[in-house]
Amino acid sequence: MENVLSQDFTDFEYLIIDGASDDGTVALLAKAETEFAGKGISLRFVSEPDQGIYDAMNKGARLAAGEWILFLNAGDLLVSPHILSELFPVGEDAQILYGDTICVYQGRQKLYPALSLERLTQEMPFCHQSAFVKRALLLEKPFDLSYQICADHHFFLRLYLDGRVFTYRRTPVAVYEIAGFSDKNKLRAHREQRRMQKELGVFRLTPSRVLRECSFYLKLGIKQIFGQRLIDRVRKRRLH
């Protein structure tokens, strides 16, 4: 919340969708309303049971009043107090506005530039924390709750295949902490990606795909044999 409050662009509302937590979140949010109001920012929150991350995101999109939506999960941050004023306003044709991401893992960080949009058929080329989406698109094509991990990838791939307008800004937008839900469920995420590719008609059995499959299962096997400690060491060497 402090990160959001620090923005010099304040023409937005801050929605928090809480899954009926009992850790003091609601009391904290109620106290924060006055501080947000002091900066002219509307803070609204809902605390009730939901069906998971993407159900909460769909709920947020339905409740929102603005034209654009950005999803920041707990632990994610906007990269600077000026990023919103640097990005907006944008051209009228834009429907998805995205940028680069700074990834953090156990105190180390690295800039990950967004990849080519063509990579959407294989992987997420950017983080959803660094992508603003027109609210109308989220109402038209809400996240498919049958995908528990890859619903965001499925959502953006559908938009890409529909020919929607993606606008890229060569600047980091969000700071994303690795080791979230998808990172801890690699095999399930991998299977969901294959189902998504087949559903949307982009699955192709090529030599490069076979190599990627072999690489994925090799890494998964190494993790199961040597444990998370080895993964942590490799990541720390990559993030510096």
Side-chain angles (χ1 to χ4, degrees), residues 16 19 21 24 35 58 76 83-84 89 99 101 113 126 136-137 140 145-146 156 176 206 219 223 225:
I16 298 178
S21 61
E35 193 171 2
N58 282 339
D76 301 331
I83 187 61
L84 295 182
T101 306
F126 52 82
L137 291 180
E140 176 187 343
L145 301 188
S146 70
F156 285 113
Y176 163 65
T206 63
K219 291 177 182 177
K223 180 177 179 180
I225 293 171

Side-chain angles (χ1 to χ4, degrees), residues 111-123:
L111 172 65
Y112 279 84
L115 304 175
S116 169
L117 282 178
E118 287 76 11
R119 297 286 287 272
L120 263 169
T121 59
Q122 304 297 326
E123 61 183 321

Side-chain angles (χ1 to χ4, degrees), residues 11 20 22 39 82 90 117 130 143 157 175 192 207 237:
D11 186 16
D22 57 1
K39 287 201 66 173
H82 316 295
V90 295
L117 282 178
S130 293
F143 294 109
L157 180 55
V175 179
E192 285 194 2
R237 293 188 64 180

Side-chain angles (χ1 to χ4, degrees), residues 109-110 112 219 233-240:
Q109 65 181 38
K110 183 177 181 180
Y112 279 84
K219 291 177 182 177
R233 291 180 62 184
V234 172
R235 280 180 170 165
K236 283 183 178 180
R237 293 188 64 180
R238 292 172 58 188
L239 297 173
H240 57 274

Side-chain angles (χ1 to χ4, degrees), residues 9 11-13 15 44 60-71 88-97 131-140 155:
F9 177 97
D11 186 16
F12 65 88
E13 61 177 350
L15 301 178
R44 291 190 287 147
R62 292 192 299 268
L63 291 173
E67 182 181 8
W68 291 90
I69 291 180
L70 173 72
F71 295 104
F88 289 94
V90 295
E92 294 183 1
D93 293 338
Q95 294 178 298
I96 303 97
L97 175 67
F132 296 82
V133 182
K134 283 286 187 71
R135 176 174 177 261
L137 291 180
L138 285 158
L139 297 180
E140 176 187 343
F155 170 78

